[in-house]
Amino acid sequence: MTLPTLIKSNNIQHDGAVLRQRADSQGYLFLSALIDPAEIVQIRGEIASILQQVGWIEADTDPLLAITGHQACLTGSPEFSRVYDIIQRLESFHSLAHHPSLFRIVESLLQTDVLLQPSNIARVIFPSQLEQTTPPHQDYVHIQGTPDVWTVWIPLGDCPRRLGGLSVLVGSHRLGILPVSKSLGAGGLRADTQRADLEWASSPFECGDVLFFHSHTVHQGLANLSGNQLRLSVDYRYQKASDPVMDLVLGPHQGRLTWSEVYADWESDRYQYYWQKFSLHSVPKQVWPIEATPTGDNQ
């Protein structure tokens, strides 16, 4: 089934009032070619080089194509963690989150000093183990702190429908926090959308496209049906610096590394410990109530 297409907001990106109105109505903003593709390709190349060195990308292929014949490695496995921590050390991966084009949009949405949550996320999605595709969920359940957080999802390269990408349940940010149950896939929790009379939307993404969505917006990964390519993407999250922030998102993602380990080989200190300029109100993560597994989700 082909999903309805995401609405592009390029024509209103410089009108803050109209941009906020659309964000409030839809729960997301989709902007095509927001970032120079050359910048994305550079980061893709650095990550792909790591993945080729560890055998996740075929040795005799162009690493930018991300061709794989490797057995799927899933988040939480020792092999995935080892490789993921190498990616977490990349300066370019973290620096992209500070891109002026991203900050311009989130500053229009939040209208105050913006905190980029430093716990940046990289995604490496294999074209197998499709039952592990990220389930429908709301980011607030995982990041807590304040509801007024915007996630930025950026595919690291072209992402046609066969590679999957991301879909959002349009307007779902107005539903409040939905009950969750345990699930396979990243995050391990599935939002109960059975009673949500709303429509899912997605688009084929091109290199440089960016998707913004609210922490209450239900979204999910789409299965990588390419057969032989990895899907590479990043998640960055932004909030008001004056709002509470969960303590765990102030450390490197997944919590195995220290910041000194992440920064060890960086050439610049420009984006190191940048959040310390704010007087942040950090709060601990709360245990989220989990319901019995629902019978299914409408999509």
Side-chain angles (χ1 to χ4, degrees):
M1 179 180 68
T2 301
L3 299 177
T5 301
L6 295 167
I7 298 172
K8 291 185 179 181
S9 292
N10 293 65
N11 61 327
I12 61 170
Q13 63 177 302
H14 298 292
D15 188 331
V18 177
L19 199 69
R20 288 189 293 275
Q21 184 179 32
R22 178 167 293 176
D24 184 59
S25 170
Q26 303 293 307
Y28 78 90
L29 296 170
F30 174 46
L31 290 105
S32 62
L34 184 65
I35 298 176
D36 183 349
E39 297 180 59
I40 303 296
V41 170
Q42 178 185 351
I43 299 167
R44 178 182 179 87
E46 292 185 31
I47 293 177
S49 177
I50 292 170
L51 299 181
Q52 192 168 56
Q53 289 173 30
V54 301
W56 291 12
I57 289 176
E58 294 294 287
D60 57 348
T61 64
D62 180 350
L64 287 175
L65 297 177
I67 302 298
T68 187
H70 195 281
Q71 182 178 359
C73 289
L74 304 176
T75 300
S77 69
E79 182 179 359
F80 187 95
S81 297
R82 177 178 60 84
V83 175
Y84 188 74
D85 287 350
I86 301 173
I87 295 172
Q88 275 289 322
R89 292 178 167 91
L90 288 176
E91 182 174 2
S92 61
F93 157 61
H94 291 280
S95 296
L96 178 62
H98 297 267
H99 197 285
S101 295
L102 302 178
F103 263 83
R104 176 171 54 82
I105 298 298
V106 292
E107 285 172 349
S108 291
L109 293 173
L110 297 173
Q111 297 184 278
T112 187
D113 289 338
V114 171
L115 168 70
L116 162 65
Q117 295 182 357
S119 186
N120 299 318
I121 302 172
R123 308 282 186 192
V124 181
I125 306 299
F126 281 78
S128 56
Q129 298 286 331
L130 300 183
E131 71 278 3
Q132 296 281 345
T133 301
T134 304
H137 68 282
Q138 295 167 300
D139 279 353
Y140 179 75
V141 172
H142 300 284
I143 60 176
Q144 302 179 28
T146 175
D148 204 10
V149 176
W150 283 85
T151 294
V152 168
W153 183 80
I154 307 174
L156 297 179
D158 290 345
C159 186
R161 292 191 184 276
R162 63 184 175 79
L163 276 176
L166 211 66
S167 64
V168 298
L169 190 58
V170 181
S172 56
H173 62 304
R174 296 177 176 272
L175 298 175
I177 301 299
L178 300 174
V180 299
S181 58
K182 290 185 178 180
S183 176
L184 298 176
L189 296 176
R190 172 183 294 268
D192 182 1
T193 61
Q194 293 183 90
R195 292 174 293 280
D197 187 20
L198 299 170
E199 194 168 52
W200 288 93
S202 185
S203 286
F205 296 87
E206 296 183 354
C207 189
D209 292 354
V210 179
L211 179 63
F212 300 75
F213 52 89
H214 190 268
S215 77
H216 284 190
T217 300
V218 179
H219 57 287
Q220 65 179 343
L222 298 177
N224 179 353
L225 302 176
S226 66
N228 68 345
Q229 278 187 282
L230 299 173
R231 184 173 81 232
L232 308 178
S233 63
V234 294
D235 295 5
Y236 304 132
R237 295 185 177 124
Y238 306 79
Q239 66 166 82
K240 296 177 181 178
S242 58
D243 280 348
V245 56
M246 188 178 72
D247 52 7
L248 294 180
V249 303
L250 296 177
H253 186 235
Q254 297 191 355
R256 289 179 297 274
L257 299 175
T258 64
W259 283 119
S260 61
E261 290 172 322
V262 171
Y263 297 150
D265 296 321
W266 285 27
E267 296 181 356
S268 169
D269 62 2
R270 180 180 181 185
Y271 297 129
Q272 296 182 21
Y273 304 106
Y274 60 87
W275 60 93
Q276 294 181 355
K277 67 183 178 182
F278 299 114
S279 297
L280 298 178
H281 172 45
S282 66
V283 294
K285 184 173 185 176
Q286 303 296 314
V287 177
W288 206 266
I290 299 175
E291 296 194 345
T293 303
T295 56
D297 284 276
N298 293 330
Q299 179 171 318

